[in-house]
Amino acid sequence: MRLPYMENLSLTGAQKSKLRGLGQKLEATIKVGKEGLTPAFFTELSRALRAHDLIKLRFVGDADRAALLERFGDIDRLRRASAEQLAQVDGFGGKLAAELHHF
């Protein structure tokens, strides 16, 4: 899927650095999971880009699974974990922890 408003986007190195700095303070707007770049992902990406000037993607993968396993030990403990406990895992902010807890 092409995002027409992004086709001719070119940024200088200084602009990219500025955006990276701003992005450090953001929580992930969209997560990319094991399914990868699905049509649903592109639909959500398009919606997010229309709603926000800057978005942050989070790629959820093996490192996240390893961090959760190290912290909780097994899936049963992970299922019982509160959003606050999940947020204490490296790489998980409050928003991502709440979404994982809800899941």
Side-chain angles (χ1 to χ4, degrees):
M1 168 186 247
R2 285 193 177 274
L3 302 174
Y5 44 86
M6 300 281 293
E7 284 186 15
N8 295 318
L9 183 64
S10 63
L11 300 172
T12 66
Q15 290 170 320
K16 290 177 187 177
S17 292
K18 174 74 173 171
L19 291 173
R20 279 190 203 102
L22 292 170
Q24 292 296 319
K25 299 172 188 165
L26 294 177
E27 290 216 27
T29 306
I30 301 173
K31 293 183 298 294
V32 181
K34 63 183 177 184
E35 297 84 24
L37 304 179
T38 64
F41 164 81
F42 285 107
T43 299
E44 183 63 17
L45 177 63
S46 183
R47 185 204 59 76
L49 288 171
R50 283 191 303 274
H52 304 284
D53 293 330
L54 181 65
I55 64 170
K56 185 174 189 175
L57 302 178
R58 169 127 170 112
F59 292 86
V60 179
D62 292 336
D64 294 315
R65 285 192 279 289
L68 289 169
L69 183 58
E70 181 178 323
R71 171 69 171 84
F72 296 102
D74 62 45
I75 192 69
D76 292 325
R77 287 189 194 130
L78 176 60
R79 285 184 181 140
R80 290 191 304 266
S82 68
E84 293 79 19
Q85 291 170 315
L86 293 167
Q88 294 173 0
V89 176
D90 285 341
F92 286 78
K95 183 178 177 183
L96 181 60
E99 289 176 6
L100 180 60
H101 182 262
H102 178 72
F103 179 74

